Amino acid sequence: MAARVYATSADYTEWSGQAAPTGAERLLAQASRDIDDALLTARYCTDADGMPIESDVIDALRDATCAQVEYQQETGDTGTGAAGRWDSVSLGPVALSGRKDAPTGPQGLDLAPRADRALRRAGLTPGVIR
């Protein structure tokens, strides 16, 4: 089965009101995988290709995917989850570093807050049967 991608560059432009970023297709594909990871045990109706068939689910996955790309662009993330998440402090011979915040999603997934809200509004939380 081919990887599911829930949004297009045109969807991103319409959703965000901004031009799609360079490499949008790759970013949207990665964000779609992030959304799949966030919904690992969620249950909803799909077609033979695993794509949602209910319009509210389609809309929620599209919006969550766009929000995930927007979030990664704002944090300077390339999809690894590392960008914009670490700080460091040096004072003479002492150096300290640490994570600024923790991932917000399941299994350490750094899920965009707007993506999480889009999924929850549609009732797409892990373990919920639609």
Side-chain angles (χ1 to χ4, degrees), residues 37-38 102-112 116 120:
D37 289 345
T104 58
Q107 292 86 31
L109 175 64
D110 192 12
L111 187 63
D116 183 59
R120 288 183 185 282

Side-chain angles (χ1 to χ4, degrees), residues 20-91:
T22 302
E25 289 77 19
R26 179 185 59 80
L27 296 170
L28 290 163
Q30 176 62 49
S32 294
R33 287 189 296 276
D34 289 346
I35 299 307
D36 278 344
D37 289 345
L39 299 178
L40 197 52
T41 60
R43 296 180 53 107
Y44 50 90
C45 296
T46 63
D47 63 17
D49 294 324
M51 293 299 286
I53 58 174
E54 297 170 328
S55 61
D56 61 332
V57 175
I58 293 168
D59 293 346
L61 295 180
R62 180 200 59 226
D63 293 351
T65 299
C66 291
Q68 187 70 5
V69 170
E70 177 189 57
Y71 178 72
Q72 290 175 336
Q73 292 296 295
E74 289 294 319
T75 61
D77 195 348
T78 59
T80 65
R85 300 283 172 235
W86 298 92
D87 60 0
S88 63
V89 178
S90 296
L91 182 60

